[in-house]
Amino acid sequence: MSETTDLYRHDITADDGTRLRIYEVAPDAYDEAVLCLHGGLTPSRALFAPPVGDGTSHSWLHAIADRGRAAFALDVRGYGESEMLPEYDEPADANGPPVRAEDAAHDVKAAYDFVADQADGVHLLGVSWGTMTGGSFLEQYDDTPNSFVQCAPVYKSPIDFADAAAALGLETTLDAYVVEEYDVVKERQGGGPVFEAVWRAVVDSNQRLDDDSYVAQTGAIADTKDCCAGNPPYAADAIDVPTLVVRGSEDQTSQREDALTLYDELDVPGDAAEYAELRGGDHFVMHGPRRQDLYDTTAAFWGRI
């Protein structure tokens, strides 16, 4: 049971005036903080603190705070409770993918500056597309966080994008956004209490269309397409801070071959780069039965470095 229950919300402003939402769970006193970056379809509240039970049992933010660090999570523009995109007000086929990782990096910069004002040291944590937005941030800016955790990364994926797109019901030529529908996503992810909580967190946000659907921009999917073509949105050798690459062994999106390629290309001294797998974990290992092991693995890494 978590001892920290309060989830606070902050609004910050990106350089271009876009309003961004940041969530916070923190102990009474702390020196270090962790800034968490979400994936391509699931915003931060749904990914890092889904309302399962009392809202803490499947919350990585609460797990971080319980271990003595403040936890912050950003909604990139177009996601969650941040400002939505003007492309959402037009037909999907009127525009191409609007927010790529290199664009989202500017939102990460605004969030990083906010968190750095609250703590003596900041660790960066990205999940799936969040590894791309975090990597792009580190490539574009001179900030040096204490470390970078890349969870369930997609980098130079061996997956055939056309096959993956077909499985998701997508065309290989991407419109500006997709509409995710309850029945389709439930069948894809298997349902259950955690799925229901994640779904509720998304449809209670600004991405909501109605109780049974929400909208998601396709920039993350376009970045994944590039990764499948061997052209990721950032170069791993641009990362020179201590880095942990971690994935679930059953993750079909973040492949072992790909994660090891990323790990091998890091420009990090050998004693500051780590690779870990959690047996049986899938792409959402942070919600599954190995989640406590993931929380412990990342906390131990932060303690070591």
Side-chain angles (χ1 to χ4, degrees):
M1 178 67 69
S2 172
E3 297 177 359
T4 307
T5 58
D6 292 330
L7 180 73
Y8 296 101
R9 289 168 166 82
H10 307 276
D11 282 335
I12 64 171
T13 304
D15 283 347
D16 65 354
T18 301
R19 182 189 59 78
L20 305 173
R21 174 58 52 86
I22 292 181
Y23 306 87
E24 175 191 357
V25 180
D28 291 336
Y30 60 88
D31 295 319
E32 295 182 346
V34 181
L35 172 59
C36 302
L37 307 175
H38 62 75
L41 296 177
T42 309
S44 277
R45 174 75 196 285
L47 184 65
F48 295 112
V52 182
D54 68 353
T56 65
S57 65
H58 290 68
S59 170
W60 204 346
L61 300 187
H62 288 83
I64 291 167
D66 285 348
R67 288 159 175 79
R69 296 177 178 85
F72 295 84
L74 166 70
D75 278 337
V76 169
R77 65 186 64 201
Y79 290 89
E81 296 179 11
S82 286
E83 187 173 330
M84 292 294 100
L85 303 172
E87 287 84 355
Y88 290 169
D89 295 327
E90 301 181 42
D93 61 3
N95 298 281
V99 183
R100 306 295 295 268
E102 63 182 3
D103 306 312
H106 305 308
D107 293 352
V108 175
K109 170 62 174 172
Y112 183 89
D113 288 346
F114 174 83
V115 175
D117 284 342
Q118 321 298 317
D120 294 333
V122 181
H123 301 273
L124 200 63
L125 185 159
V127 173
S128 193
W129 188 54
T131 67
M132 301 184 211
T133 62
S136 297
F137 160 70
L138 292 176
E139 189 172 57
Q140 293 183 47
Y141 292 97
D142 293 331
D143 299 279
T144 54
N146 289 24
S147 71
F148 186 20
V149 170
Q150 293 185 273
C151 179
V154 177
Y155 182 61
K156 293 181 179 177
S157 178
I159 296 173
D160 184 283
F161 180 77
D163 291 343
L168 293 173
L170 300 175
E171 301 293 335
T172 54
T173 300
L174 297 169
D175 294 335
Y177 59 85
V178 295
V179 174
E180 290 282 77
E181 297 179 342
Y182 175 84
D183 289 339
V184 174
V185 179
K186 181 177 181 180
E187 181 177 357
R188 189 168 74 220
Q189 298 187 1
V194 177
F195 164 77
E196 296 294 341
V198 169
W199 180 268
R200 187 164 67 253
V202 183
V203 298
D204 284 348
S205 78
N206 293 334
Q207 287 180 248
R208 169 194 175 93
L209 293 177
D210 53 45
D211 284 344
D212 295 320
S213 63
Y214 68 87
V215 64
Q217 71 97 24
T218 57
I221 301 172
D223 286 329
T224 300
K225 181 179 180 180
D226 283 352
C227 289
C228 292
N231 184 32
Y234 71 99
D237 61 9
I239 297 175
D240 58 2
V241 300
T243 300
L244 168 64
V245 177
V246 58
R247 62 180 292 274
S249 66
E250 302 303 315
D251 190 338
Q252 299 303 304
T253 302
S254 175
Q255 301 269 313
R256 176 180 292 168
E257 171 187 342
D258 188 20
L260 286 171
T261 296
L262 167 61
Y263 172 77
D264 288 340
E265 291 188 11
L266 293 169
D267 186 22
V268 180
D271 61 352
E274 298 186 19
Y275 178 86
E277 283 194 16
L278 298 174
R279 183 177 294 276
D282 62 13
H283 200 56
F284 292 94
V285 63
M286 70 291 304
H287 294 162
R290 296 300 305 274
R291 64 186 181 279
Q292 293 297 336
D293 296 312
L294 176 65
Y295 306 159
D296 290 341
T297 297
T298 51
F301 170 70
W302 294 322
R304 284 193 296 275
I305 57 89

